[in-house]
Amino acid sequence: MKTAAAYLASLRERDLVLYVDGERVAEPVDHPKVRPSVNAVAATYAMAHDPATRALAVAHSDLIDAPVNRFCHLFRDEADLTAKLHFQRALGALTGTCFQRCVGLDGLNALFLATWESGPDAHGRFVAWLKGVQTRDEMLCGAMTDPKGDRSKRPPEVPESYLRVVERRPDGVVLRGAKVHQTGAANAHQILVMPGQALREGEEDFAVAAALPVDAPGVTMVLGRQPSDERKGGPDAGNLRYGGQECVVLFEDVFVPSERVFLDGDLDAAATLVDAFAGYHRASYGGCKPGNLDVLIGAADLLTREHGIRKASHVRDKLVEMTHLTETIHGLGLAASGKGTRHDAGVWKVDPILANVCKHHVTKLPYEVVRLAEDLAGGMVATMPSIADLDHPELGPALETVVGGRDRAQLLRLVEYMSYGSGAVPFRIECMHGAGSP
Ligand code: SF4
Ligand code: FE
């Protein structure tokens, strides 16, 4: 298993084509708008080597008969499904944001059972590839969402709005199109492309699942902007070390050799894949989002102490309500995992109804927690001067009387970051649209 340092070093070996703010980035790892999201992924590697968290982060792979990071692991039983949620909650509480590795994990499990249904050739290719991913402890970009364009049209009517096979050669396929909202794409080693929806007869070119290196010729990534992203890494960031990341990924005639093409035109297996992935990832939100909410509740709680209102009954009621909403989401994720069923391929699936109910609540309850956090934080969350003003030798003492000490200022910045700053993209808006819009 890679250490965090080995993960960072491995990213530097790539020849990734990434654009940020209209410019090609020489080394993504060192870019101030990218680095916080790299740090969040690195935490998934670091926890596998920390004695305090190793039990959460490491599992035994029967495929390669070795310990693997849980983010490369197959769900062999219900305990693996629930262990994923506990790991995600711990990571969400540590980073306060999206750590980006779950889409690949949920994708590889969904592909394991979908390729099994497709047949021994497809499954054999996939398992051979997965063994390599586990051995090298790779970060996968699970690439599912197509741009779609006019939703009233089927993919063949607007092919440019979907990733598709444009050429079949004896030794592989050529892909063209794009995937959008790609979590952690620029921090990954490989892209695992999957269809984003169930497809009909005549739409076989869109039913493709395949893996390719992030720096394969023809792949271009463009980083999505986030509110206040120019603050990243600086004193007003709110979350100094960690951040999320979403990219547009363009595929301009990208060749993928046959051994990494897992599904090509098998509509039934593609439908199985989409369905299984949606279940896994909707349950995943019962892990990471409660972890992020822990951070927000903690910040709000500390601010009420700073404000001297912690003991007021209406404040206690609000903190209890925030906790109740958070644990509702977590409980549903755990319930979907604990009511799992075994697929004939040997991996376990979550309960689809409970996973969908979990995601349904995720589109609503965190918004209420944010509202209560903004209530408890007070108006200064939106009007506080910069930390540079607080540090100014002449202004500082006068501002401290008005704003309070450095602890209060940092807590306000953290609530701002998660409510409507750069952290709101992977936290709040992702609650609405991640793992499938409501
Ligand atoms: Fe993982 Fe949550 Fe980020 Fe999805 S939104 S990749 S489940 S941390
Ligand atoms: Fe997501």
Side-chain angles (χ1 to χ4, degrees):
M1 292 175 295
K2 278 186 171 63
T3 61
Y7 164 65
L8 292 185
S10 69
L11 293 187
R12 293 182 189 282
E13 287 168 13
R14 308 168 308 166
D15 189 17
L16 186 68
V17 179
L18 171 70
Y19 283 81
V20 178
D21 297 332
E23 284 178 15
R24 171 97 189 257
V25 173
E27 178 45 70
V29 173
D30 298 323
H31 194 285
K33 287 190 180 177
V34 179
R35 185 54 184 258
S37 63
V38 172
N39 291 342
V41 180
T44 70
Y45 287 92
M47 283 175 77
H49 295 275
D50 180 343
T53 51
R54 189 182 156 86
L56 277 176
V58 179
H60 185 86
S61 167
D62 297 333
L63 276 188
I64 60 168
D65 193 22
V68 292
N69 190 297
R70 189 166 289 287
F71 279 110
C72 298
H73 185 52
L74 293 169
F75 306 129
R76 297 159 310 175
D77 50 29
E78 286 161 323
D80 275 335
L81 290 170
T82 50
K84 173 183 80 165
L85 262 82
H86 294 308
F87 189 19
Q88 288 169 320
R89 182 151 188 178
L91 277 161
L94 172 74
T95 62
T97 188
C98 166
F99 34 89
Q100 306 147 53
R101 228 175 146 186
C102 327
V103 196
L105 168 65
D106 293 336
L108 68 84
N109 275 277
L111 255 172
F112 187 88
L113 61 88
T115 54
W116 187 88
E117 288 188 8
S118 187
D121 287 352
H123 196 54
R125 283 194 302 277
F126 177 73
V127 169
W129 171 81
L130 177 58
K131 286 179 180 174
V133 169
Q134 290 189 335
T135 304
R136 294 185 297 274
D137 196 4
E138 289 183 323
M139 152 81 174
L140 302 176
C141 160
M144 207 167 224
T145 310
D146 297 282
K148 297 196 278 285
D150 182 345
R151 270 71 167 168
S152 72
K153 294 190 163 66
R154 295 296 304 176
E157 298 175 86
V158 280
E160 65 281 359
S161 293
Y162 290 83
L163 186 79
R164 73 265 184 212
V165 175
V166 292
E167 188 186 341
R168 289 182 179 82
R169 298 178 187 165
D171 55 344
V173 300
V174 177
L175 302 178
R176 191 182 298 163
K179 291 287 185 181
V180 293
H181 322 311
Q182 288 310 298
T183 298
N187 302 338
H189 301 102
Q190 293 200 56
I191 304 171
L192 183 59
V193 299
M194 297 172 279
Q197 63 189 60
L199 296 157
R200 300 173 186 165
E201 216 177 314
E203 299 176 346
E204 285 78 6
D205 290 347
F206 305 87
V208 59
L212 53 142
V214 287
D215 53 2
V219 172
T220 301
M221 298 193 183
V222 189
L223 187 73
R225 285 220 68 170
Q226 297 171 347
S228 309
D229 56 9
E230 71 286 348
R231 297 187 191 181
K232 288 194 173 192
D236 287 303
N239 187 342
L240 185 62
R241 186 171 305 177
Y242 301 114
Q245 177 197 98
E246 316 286 339
C247 294
V248 170
V249 184
L250 303 171
F251 298 77
E252 290 163 280
D253 294 350
V254 180
F255 176 72
V256 184
S258 303
E259 67 265 23
R260 284 191 268 107
V261 180
F262 310 127
L263 299 177
D264 178 15
D266 185 333
L267 300 178
D268 291 338
T272 294
L273 168 63
V274 173
D275 184 61
F277 175 83
Y280 288 137
H281 208 53
R282 287 170 187 173
S284 277
Y285 280 25
C288 75
K289 302 306 179 196
N292 291 171
L293 289 163
D294 288 337
V295 175
L296 188 59
I297 295 169
D301 180 22
L302 289 170
L303 278 167
T304 64
R305 292 165 200 262
E306 289 277 335
H307 296 164
I309 56 171
R310 178 65 176 78
K311 292 199 172 122
S313 63
H314 73 95
V315 169
R316 289 207 308 267
D317 286 350
K318 285 168 184 167
L319 289 166
V320 168
E321 177 67 359
M322 294 162 91
T323 304
H324 143 238
L325 297 173
T326 298
E327 298 307 330
T328 299
I329 295 169
H330 191 51
L332 282 164
L334 287 174
S337 307
K339 254 185 102 178
T341 47
R342 187 182 181 279
H343 185 275
D344 288 342
V347 295
W348 282 65
K349 292 177 72 177
V350 295
D351 181 271
I353 304 271
L354 286 168
N356 277 293
V357 173
C358 176
K359 165 68 215 241
H360 190 65
H361 277 69
V362 167
T363 66
K364 295 176 180 170
L365 307 192
Y367 289 78
E368 176 63 7
V369 181
V370 167
R371 189 184 76 79
L372 291 166
E374 290 179 356
D375 173 350
L376 295 175
M380 190 60 78
V381 73
T383 63
M384 188 176 75
S386 78
I387 299 290
D389 292 319
L390 304 185
D391 287 343
H392 191 277
E394 285 146 36
L395 267 178
L399 280 180
E400 188 165 341
T401 311
V402 175
V403 175
R406 176 58 78 100
D407 284 353
R408 182 178 181 228
Q410 297 288 15
L411 287 166
L412 289 167
R413 280 284 178 260
L414 177 54
V415 174
E416 178 194 33
Y417 163 85
M418 298 190 78
S419 304
Y420 60 98
S422 66
V425 174
F427 171 50
R428 271 187 59 209
I429 310 305
E430 176 137 2
C431 282
M432 183 61 72
H433 292 293
S437 303

